[in-house]
Amino acid sequence: MSEFHILRPWWLLALVPSLWIVCALWREQGAVSSWERVFDQQLLEHLWLEPPGAHSRLPIMLLAFGWMLAVLALAGPTWERQPEPVWRSQASRVIVLDLSASMNAADLMPSRLERARFKILDILAATGDARTGLVVFAGEPHVVVPLTEDADTIMNLLRALSTDIVPAAGDEAAPALELASELLENAGVARGELVLISDGVSDPAAALAVAKGLRNRGSRLSVLGVGTAQGAPVPRADGGFAGMARLIAAPLEALARAGGGAYSPITASDRDLETVLLDGPRSAPAHELSGAGVQRWTEPGVWLVPLLLLLAAAGFRRGWLAGLVMIMVVPPPAQALQWRDLWLRPDQQAAAALERGQPATAARQFADPSWRGMALYRAGDYAGAAEAFAQSGGAESDYNRGNALARAGRLEEAADAYRQVLREVPEHADAKANLALVEDLLRKNREQSDQAEGSSDERGAPPSESEEVNGGESRTDARGQSSSGDKPGTDSSEFPDGEAGDDRNRA
């Protein structure tokens, strides 16, 4: 860890806005909601998705943690290097340049030698990452640059090449080709390429023999002819001319054929290189260079991305993060997982079932007791709805519980529920109306019970079994009708079909 550093430290500035955002959200969640200054308190309590004070700050903490992880991953923390494999082309090429006095002729402007320099630059540009060497010759050969991958070195030395740097005058190509072959052998190159740039050689027989030997060893010799058939005078150092220099292409073509390569006169375009470099280094295979000493810094920050994805999933699917922790600590019981479970919470699935007219299915899926009570009410399970509303608490839940109890025929309990609502909200009009209706039903039931008892006493008949079980009180069904008397306690029109959760519907 002594080499720990940040590859892109400027990304750490992205932590500054995150601190401001997190602090603002934290302070806003702890403050009184601005909605409380607009809505009536009794109305607002029915609009909250979560009551004030019940908000969890866990999402804010997850946001801050996720932001920090993202910034750290982008900043690139690192503390170790890793060797980087280096691939290098196996192709190697040696350029053999003629520096005899005839290369100063100006039949190619500005001179044959200048045009040769320009063509060497084009060869280096086409060489890519292959190793290249440079040999010059006149009466004797000399190595200017051994095989190297640094093409810039050859480019810099080209400016210093002239016909007077070679001590011995002449135009002997065979020794230069042998020297170029030695460069390839010393570098361990079994199959190399030689490019001879010349306006003619004085030892064609010897050069042909060397070219055939190169071909037998697997190397290839190509030739670029410099000059024109018309030729031009060869200038001397004293200002005179040493005669005419004409390009004779036949010996150079024979030399290229013997070497297994191609011949082309030098041109202003790349057509000549397309000919002589037909099997150039770009088509040669590459091999891994071991021990090249190339290393790069590793970026372990990429391993923060999976954790960041988990946090992002927790933001879209509430409860996933806690669920994953529970899975790691206590394996949950095996249960079937459906596709919709990945995207919809049970309450959301239950709401969809309720909209499709499947209240019984919705009641099994709702976790919220108020919604479960409403689904049970719609399904006709009034007793179960009353139990669910009893778990919710609050004036509206008591009101809905009273409606369910009244539908279940438990009028005394329904009346108690309505009285509880009026103790909390005295002006609750629906609770007052339903309480009056239930009390009227109870009064009628008592009157019917008394009449039934009187008739029985006059006839001397014993009380019925139901009267003994219910303590002399008859029970009413969901429509308020007597279960033991022959006369209904009230007409069903006095007891309209209401629905739990709707403040405008009465019991």
Side-chain angles (χ1 to χ4, degrees):
M1 296 296 291
S2 60
E3 294 186 344
F4 178 84
H5 67 285
I6 303 295
L7 295 177
R8 296 173 291 274
W10 287 106
W11 270 109
L12 296 178
L13 293 177
L15 292 174
V16 177
S18 71
L19 293 176
W20 180 82
I21 293 174
V22 169
C23 291
L25 290 175
W26 192 279
R27 185 170 56 252
E28 176 68 21
Q29 200 170 70
V32 177
S33 173
S34 59
W35 292 110
E36 297 182 1
R37 297 190 291 267
V38 179
F39 286 93
D40 182 83
Q41 182 63 34
Q42 296 178 1
L43 176 61
L44 184 60
E45 67 181 13
H46 304 294
L47 300 178
W48 290 115
L49 295 178
E50 293 184 18
H55 295 287
S56 172
R57 286 194 168 100
L58 179 61
I60 299 179
M61 293 186 288
L62 291 178
L63 172 63
F65 187 53
W67 194 307
M68 181 187 68
L69 290 180
V71 171
L72 286 179
L74 290 170
T78 184
W79 54 85
E80 64 178 352
R81 298 176 186 266
Q82 184 177 23
E84 181 76 10
V86 178
W87 295 85
R88 184 175 67 189
S89 174
Q90 290 181 311
S92 298
R93 174 181 292 129
V94 179
I95 301 173
V96 182
L97 175 62
D98 186 354
L99 288 184
S100 60
S102 60
M103 291 292 287
N104 291 324
D107 51 349
L108 295 179
M109 298 299 293
S111 70
R112 293 180 177 182
L113 181 57
E114 286 296 327
R115 292 292 295 274
R117 286 197 189 104
F118 295 151
K119 191 54 62 175
I120 292 175
L121 292 176
D122 293 338
I123 294 175
L124 294 176
T127 296
D129 58 352
R131 292 178 295 175
T132 307
L134 177 61
V135 173
V136 297
F137 73 94
E140 59 186 19
H142 296 276
V143 176
V144 178
V145 180
L147 287 174
T148 179
E149 297 175 3
D150 186 6
D152 292 338
T153 300
I154 301 178
M155 293 179 183
N156 293 332
L157 292 175
L158 282 177
R159 302 185 183 95
L161 297 182
S162 63
T163 56
D164 54 3
I165 66 171
V166 180
D171 207 354
E172 299 180 1
L177 295 177
E178 290 177 352
L179 183 58
S181 178
E182 291 178 6
L183 290 180
L184 295 174
E185 292 176 1
N186 294 337
V189 178
R191 301 177 64 86
E193 182 178 11
L194 291 84
V195 178
L196 173 63
I197 303 178
S198 174
D199 58 355
V201 297
S202 61
D203 56 346
L208 283 173
V210 175
K212 293 178 181 179
L214 289 172
R215 183 177 183 179
N216 294 334
R217 291 192 295 270
S219 295
R220 177 177 183 272
L221 172 64
S222 297
V223 181
L224 280 174
V226 185
T228 62
Q230 293 78 17
V234 178
R236 291 199 307 255
D238 58 6
F241 295 95
M244 292 291 293
R246 294 181 174 86
L247 174 63
I248 303 176
L252 297 179
E253 292 177 353
L255 189 60
R257 286 194 300 272
Y263 169 81
S264 174
I266 197 168
T267 64
S269 64
D270 291 335
R271 183 176 300 177
D272 50 358
L273 297 186
E274 293 174 358
T275 301
V276 299
L277 303 182
L278 184 61
D279 298 325
R282 292 190 182 275
S283 62
H287 72 285
E288 184 176 352
L289 183 63
S290 61
V294 179
Q295 294 182 330
R296 65 176 179 86
W297 289 103
T298 61
E299 290 202 42
V302 69
W303 296 108
L304 297 174
V305 175
L307 182 57
L308 187 61
L309 292 176
L310 288 178
L311 292 177
F316 285 99
R317 180 63 169 87
R318 186 173 59 187
W320 273 23
L321 188 60
L324 289 174
V325 174
M326 291 302 297
I327 289 174
M328 290 185 290
V329 177
V330 180
Q335 56 184 359
L337 179 66
Q338 298 183 6
W339 176 255
R340 63 176 180 271
D341 295 335
L342 298 175
W343 316 109
L344 296 176
R345 300 191 305 274
D347 281 347
Q348 293 173 322
Q349 297 180 35
L354 196 61
E355 291 180 0
R356 294 193 301 268
Q358 301 172 348
T361 302
R364 290 192 297 268
Q365 293 178 319
F366 270 126
D368 184 89
S370 296
W371 283 94
R372 186 170 66 253
M374 184 182 67
L376 289 170
Y377 192 98
R378 290 188 182 182
D381 185 0
Y382 301 119
E387 293 178 3
F389 288 131
Q391 298 174 9
S392 299
E396 291 307 317
S397 294
D398 288 336
Y399 171 73
N400 290 330
R401 180 168 59 89
N403 292 347
L405 290 169
R407 292 289 181 182
R410 296 154 61 177
L411 299 182
E412 290 287 353
E413 297 177 55
D416 291 339
Y418 292 137
R419 293 187 188 102
Q420 178 64 29
V421 174
L422 293 175
R423 281 193 293 270
E424 297 180 16
V425 186
E427 65 276 9
H428 201 297
D430 291 325
K432 289 180 180 180
N434 285 356
L435 177 60
L437 179 59
V438 168
E439 288 177 341
D440 183 60
L441 290 174
L442 289 171
R443 180 182 56 79
K444 292 180 179 180
N445 287 342
R446 282 193 295 268
E447 290 177 356
Q448 293 176 3
S449 179
D450 291 342
Q451 292 176 3
E453 288 178 358
S455 300
S456 177
D457 291 342
E458 290 177 359
R459 293 193 300 269
S464 67
E465 182 179 353
S466 63
E467 290 174 334
E468 291 177 357
V469 173
N470 293 304
E473 275 189 23
S474 64
R475 299 177 60 191
T476 58
D477 60 12
R479 292 295 181 183
Q481 295 178 339
S482 172
S483 61
S484 60
D486 297 331
K487 183 180 180 181
T490 181
D491 188 83
S492 63
S493 62
E494 299 180 16
F495 201 55
D497 272 335
E499 183 176 307
D502 188 349
D503 292 350
R504 304 306 304 168
N505 292 326
R506 299 183 180 179

